Amino acid sequence: MTKSLRELALEAETALLAGPHPERAKLDAETLLLHLLTQDRAWLLAHGDEDAAGETERRYASLVAQRAAGKPIQHITGSSEFFGLPFSVGPGVLIPRPETEHLVEEVIRLAGLLGDQDLRIADVGTGSGIIAVALAHALPKARMAAVDLSPQALLVARENADRNHVADRIEFFEGDLLEPLAGRSFSIIASNPPYVPAGDLASLAIEVREHEPHTALFAGEDGLDVYKRLVPEAREHLLADGWSVMEIGFGQRDAVEELLKTHGYGEVHFVADYQGIPRVACGRRN
C-alpha cells in the first residue's frame, strides 16, 4: 500500500525514538525527508498528503536507519549551518558547534578595537573552515590565513570558502599549527584546537565517538597538549598588541590562563557560553 509523505515521516519518527537522540526524533525525521526531497518545511506542510514514490520510501528508510544507528545527521545530509552560513561537512572534519560562534563574535569585537586597516587574521586548525569563512564574511577588509594538518580537511575548507564567496580572501596552508606561516605576523590568531582529554572518550556521544576525527578532538591526558604548543607559537606570530583567541573545554580556564600569562600575554580574559561556562580564552601580546 502506498504511503503518504506525512505517514513516512511519522514512521521514521517512531523508529528514531529508539535511537541515540529520541528528543530530536521528529526534527530529524523531517530534516532527512526534506533533504531527500530537496524541499523545505513549508512545502512539506502543503504536500504532506501526497503519495511517496517507492524509490523515495526505500532511500528514506536507508537514511533513517543510518541516523538511528548514531550517524550524525550532518554527515548524512552533508551540510550544516554556522554563524548563519551554509557549510559542507563530512567524516574528516568536526561538525560545527554553536559554542564556536562565541569565538567568532569575540574576534569580530576585537577586530573592531584594532581597526580594519591591514587586518590580518590566522585560523589555526581550520577544519571545515567555519572560523575563517565566517570571519571573512563578517570582516570584508580582513585578509585570512587558514592552516590545517589534514589535506582532507583543507579540501572541505576550500569548498566552503567557495560556497560562501570568500575564497579570494583566504589563503590555505597545510601543516602543523603555525609552522607553515613562518615569517608572517597577524593582528589576531584564532583557533579551535583539540582539547578533549583522552580519558573522556567513553563518555562522548556516539556521533562524536564513532564518526568525528579523533585527531581534531583529543589532546593528551589533560586536553592541554595543543595549548602548550600553540600559546607560545602564536605569540611569536602576533603583531604588537595582537590577540590570541582560542576555544577551550570545560574546566580548562585556569590552566589556559596560566599558560597565557606565563608566555607573555596581558589583558587575559574569557568569554562564557550561554550556560556561563568559559568557552573562549583571549590574551594580548605585551
Side-chain angles (χ1 to χ4, degrees), residues 98-155:
E99 307 92 271
T100 307
E101 294 193 356
H102 295 294
L103 181 148
V104 172
E105 290 168 350
E106 183 64 5
V107 171
I108 293 171
R109 188 186 75 83
L110 294 172
L113 297 178
L114 292 172
D116 58 12
Q117 288 298 108
D118 198 29
L119 185 63
R120 286 172 276 171
I121 302 175
D123 173 20
V124 180
T126 195
S128 62
I130 60 169
I131 293 173
V133 169
L135 289 173
H137 191 270
L139 301 168
K141 293 185 179 180
R143 290 181 291 166
M144 307 292 306
V147 185
D148 205 283
L149 191 59
S150 165
Q152 182 181 4
L154 288 171
L155 286 174

Side-chain angles (χ1 to χ4, degrees), residues 10-83:
L10 287 172
E11 286 186 1
E13 180 182 347
T14 300
L16 291 172
L17 285 170
H21 289 287
E23 76 284 357
R24 290 181 49 92
K26 179 178 175 61
L27 176 60
D28 286 352
E30 288 188 0
T31 299
L32 292 173
L33 184 57
L34 295 173
H35 166 69
L36 181 60
L37 298 172
T38 63
Q39 297 290 351
D40 59 21
R41 284 190 171 81
W43 184 93
L44 185 59
L45 286 172
H47 297 269
D49 291 326
E50 293 183 6
D51 290 342
E55 180 62 18
T56 297
E57 185 173 352
R58 285 189 291 274
R59 292 173 62 195
Y60 187 46
S62 173
L63 299 183
V64 172
Q66 292 176 56
R67 180 59 182 149
K71 187 172 183 177
I73 198 162
Q74 295 91 340
H75 285 182
I76 299 172
T77 64
S79 65
S80 185
E81 183 180 291
F82 178 81
F83 218 70

Side-chain angles (χ1 to χ4, degrees), residues 4-267:
S4 70
L5 294 171
R6 185 171 288 109
E7 287 172 332
L8 280 187
L10 287 172
E11 286 186 1
E13 180 182 347
T14 300
L16 291 172
L17 285 170
H21 289 287
E23 76 284 357
R24 290 181 49 92
K26 179 178 175 61
L27 176 60
D28 286 352
E30 288 188 0
T31 299
L32 292 173
L33 184 57
L34 295 173
H35 166 69
L36 181 60
L37 298 172
T38 63
Q39 297 290 351
D40 59 21
R41 284 190 171 81
W43 184 93
L44 185 59
L45 286 172
H47 297 269
D49 291 326
E50 293 183 6
D51 290 342
E55 180 62 18
T56 297
E57 185 173 352
R58 285 189 291 274
R59 292 173 62 195
Y60 187 46
S62 173
L63 299 183
V64 172
Q66 292 176 56
R67 180 59 182 149
K71 187 172 183 177
I73 198 162
Q74 295 91 340
H75 285 182
I76 299 172
T77 64
S79 65
S80 185
E81 183 180 291
F82 178 81
F83 218 70
L85 301 171
F87 287 88
S88 299
V89 295
V93 296
L94 290 181
I95 294 167
R97 266 72 168 179
E99 307 92 271
T100 307
E101 294 193 356
H102 295 294
L103 181 148
V104 172
E105 290 168 350
E106 183 64 5
V107 171
I108 293 171
R109 188 186 75 83
L110 294 172
L113 297 178
L114 292 172
D116 58 12
Q117 288 298 108
D118 198 29
L119 185 63
R120 286 172 276 171
I121 302 175
D123 173 20
V124 180
T126 195
S128 62
I130 60 169
I131 293 173
V133 169
L135 289 173
H137 191 270
L139 301 168
K141 293 185 179 180
R143 290 181 291 166
M144 307 292 306
V147 185
D148 205 283
L149 191 59
S150 165
Q152 182 181 4
L154 288 171
L155 286 174
V156 177
R158 287 189 176 98
E159 177 185 343
N160 284 322
D162 286 331
R163 183 176 184 177
N164 288 285
H165 313 293
V166 293
D168 59 326
R169 291 188 293 108
I170 305 176
E171 289 185 87
F172 292 94
F173 300 86
E174 181 182 338
D176 184 30
L177 298 184
L178 288 139
E179 178 271 330
L181 302 179
R184 295 182 179 229
S185 296
F186 299 90
S187 315
I188 301 173
I189 296 175
S191 182
N192 178 17
Y195 56 70
V196 180
D200 288 359
L201 174 62
S203 66
L204 298 178
I206 187 172
E207 295 98 326
V208 179
R209 188 173 67 246
E210 297 187 7
H211 295 279
E212 297 203 72
H214 286 194
T215 53
L217 289 167
F218 299 102
E221 292 305 310
D222 57 5
L224 299 171
D225 282 7
V226 177
Y227 297 118
K228 292 172 184 175
R229 298 168 53 217
L230 177 59
V231 168
E233 276 192 39
R235 189 181 184 282
E236 297 307 308
H237 286 267
L238 282 171
L239 295 165
D241 295 324
W243 287 93
S244 178
V245 184
M246 305 175 294
E247 185 169 327
I248 63 173
F250 178 78
Q252 294 178 330
R253 182 192 188 281
D254 292 347
V256 173
E257 181 176 18
E258 182 178 351
L259 275 172
L260 286 166
K261 290 181 175 179
T262 298
H263 288 283
Y265 292 83
E267 298 183 49

Side-chain angles (χ1 to χ4, degrees), residues 243 260-261 264-269 282-286:
W243 287 93
L260 286 166
K261 290 181 175 179
Y265 292 83
E267 298 183 49
V268 175
H269 64 276
C282 309
R284 193 168 196 169
R285 177 176 177 171
N286 286 331

